[in-house]
Amino acid sequence: MAVKMASSRIIFLGMALLLAAHASAQLSESFYNTKCPGGVQAVQNVVTSAVRSDRRNAAGLLRLHFHDCFVRGCDGSVLLASTPGTTAEKDAGPNKSLQGFAIIDQAKAALEKTCPGVFSCADILALAARDAISFIGGPKWKVPLGRRDGSVSLASEAVSNLPGDKFSYSQLISNFGSKGLSETDMVALSGAHTIGLTFCSKVTPRLYNFPGSSTGADPYLNTTFVTSERKVCPNTASARNNFLLMDRTRGGQTFDVNYYNNVLSHSAVFKSDDALISTSSGRSKVIKFASSQSTFFSSFASAMEKMGRVGVLTGTKGKIRTQCSRK
């Protein structure tokens, strides 16, 4: 009986992988060439304008795409609003600091005027992430299109699928691997922490209340880093929701390799960042990316294109929402 059950699981997993590969293969960069000419450019115009007015929007749009793809695949479910009786992904604990929804809505509204009911919210998310990062000097990657939008969005699935900021290296590998992403993809995508913000509440325990520390700070952390972060995040209840730069170098809004230098110098924000150099395999990858921006950019672009194909809905599956926040 156990052998039969194991065999059934293997067959089911194999079928799931084949179906996912088939859906991914249906994506194409030219998908909207005749369906919605100028649609891809319209998204880029909205995104470029938003990031030009506030460079922090780049990190917000990148994170939106990542958090979408890791829960039910890249189906735009992170954009759906909660309804009576159902708490959506966007209202889950890990997603409460997500930003960029208004930019996606703006792009969708522009597309609905020229190509009503054609351009999916999931594709807008994928394009927006690429265009935003490219605009601030990061790499540019291919975005094959043709994703359709999902109709299910559950906060509980966001909690169970998104990687935690205290994950160990093995937990990170397992989490990313469950989405078909490799160890190298994981280390490369972690480099997104070179931009963006987090709440002080995420780091104050490491700055003031670390168990067994005579100074209160996590002894793993660089003392200079601790001093500078304590100035931004005082140990008060009112400061818990203050924002902290993920990477303080160059204002925290330049896409570069400084994140990896922070990890190597014990000056990164999360325990999951520290985990990248907890193994010889991870350390070697961090050193490689830290020493070559071109290598990092190439690996990041490859990983983003790969992530953008995770769990996509194509063909007759899913739908095209007219408003990204509503089913």
Side-chain angles (χ1 to χ4, degrees):
M1 177 66 75
V3 173
K4 287 183 178 180
M5 289 178 66
S7 298
S8 296
R9 283 195 293 269
I10 292 171
I11 293 171
F12 177 78
L13 178 59
M15 290 178 64
L17 291 172
L18 284 172
L19 289 171
H22 176 68
S24 173
Q26 290 183 290
L27 301 180
S28 168
E29 287 186 276
S30 62
F31 185 82
Y32 293 108
N33 283 5
T34 57
K35 298 174 183 287
C36 186
V40 172
Q41 185 61 50
V43 174
Q44 184 178 3
N45 291 344
V46 170
V47 170
T48 298
S49 176
V51 177
R52 182 182 289 116
S53 66
D54 188 343
R55 288 174 69 89
R56 292 175 297 182
N57 284 325
L61 292 168
L62 177 61
R63 191 165 174 242
L64 264 183
H65 182 41
F66 179 92
H67 282 229
D68 181 44
C69 292
F70 264 58
V71 184
R72 288 187 167 267
C74 309
D75 68 345
S77 57
V78 74
L79 303 172
L80 286 169
S82 294
T83 57
T86 302
T87 305
E89 292 172 33
K90 68 186 298 185
D91 292 320
N95 286 341
K96 288 194 173 182
S97 60
L98 287 178
Q99 299 176 351
F101 294 101
I103 299 169
I104 302 300
D105 287 342
Q106 184 181 351
K108 179 60 172 174
L111 290 166
E112 284 300 307
K113 289 179 180 178
T114 56
C115 311
V118 173
F119 216 110
S120 73
C121 299
D123 276 343
I124 295 173
L125 273 174
L127 287 168
R130 189 271 308 274
D131 294 341
I133 296 306
S134 176
F135 183 78
I136 64 169
K140 189 168 186 175
W141 57 92
K142 293 180 180 179
V143 180
L145 303 165
R147 300 166 189 79
R148 290 171 66 84
D149 300 323
S151 300
V152 178
S153 183
L154 301 172
S156 59
E157 292 186 344
V159 173
S160 61
N161 280 277
L162 291 169
D165 57 31
K166 295 182 178 66
F167 270 18
S168 67
Y169 196 73
S170 61
Q171 286 176 311
L172 289 169
I173 289 177
S174 176
N175 179 262
F176 280 69
S178 69
K179 314 302 176 187
L181 299 168
S182 70
E183 179 184 358
T184 298
D185 294 331
M186 180 272 288
V187 177
L189 291 174
S190 295
H193 286 177
T194 195
I195 57 173
L197 306 161
T198 189
F199 289 122
C200 280
S201 59
K202 287 288 188 178
V203 72
T204 47
R206 301 190 72 191
L207 299 177
Y208 299 101
N209 307 306
F210 196 81
S213 171
S214 59
T215 65
D218 183 346
Y220 179 89
L221 294 174
N222 183 299
T223 55
T224 302
F225 173 75
V226 170
T227 300
S228 66
E229 299 308 271
R230 281 178 169 176
K231 291 178 182 177
V232 180
C233 298
N235 193 23
T236 62
S238 60
R240 286 180 57 81
N241 290 327
N242 288 355
F243 280 116
L244 170 77
L245 290 172
M246 296 290 290
D247 174 8
R248 293 175 63 81
T249 55
R250 301 185 185 178
Q253 303 306 327
T254 300
F255 204 88
D256 53 30
V257 300
N258 283 325
Y259 162 76
Y260 296 107
N261 292 318
N262 291 341
V263 171
L264 291 168
S265 65
H266 297 200
S267 302
V269 173
F270 298 137
K271 292 292 287 183
S272 57
D273 296 323
D274 303 337
L276 296 186
I277 56 172
S278 65
T279 70
S280 58
S281 178
R283 175 178 284 273
S284 67
K285 291 174 175 57
V286 169
I287 292 173
K288 180 176 69 172
F289 290 153
S291 61
S292 173
Q293 183 153 290
S294 62
T295 299
F296 165 50
F297 275 19
S298 176
S299 296
F300 185 86
S302 175
M304 284 300 297
E305 183 176 347
K306 196 171 171 182
M307 186 190 78
R309 294 178 177 272
V310 172
V312 295
L313 301 174
T314 58
T316 58
K317 294 182 178 180
K319 60 174 64 176
I320 304 298
R321 289 184 226 136
T322 56
Q323 292 185 53
C324 291
S325 62
R326 298 183 181 180
K327 297 179 184 180

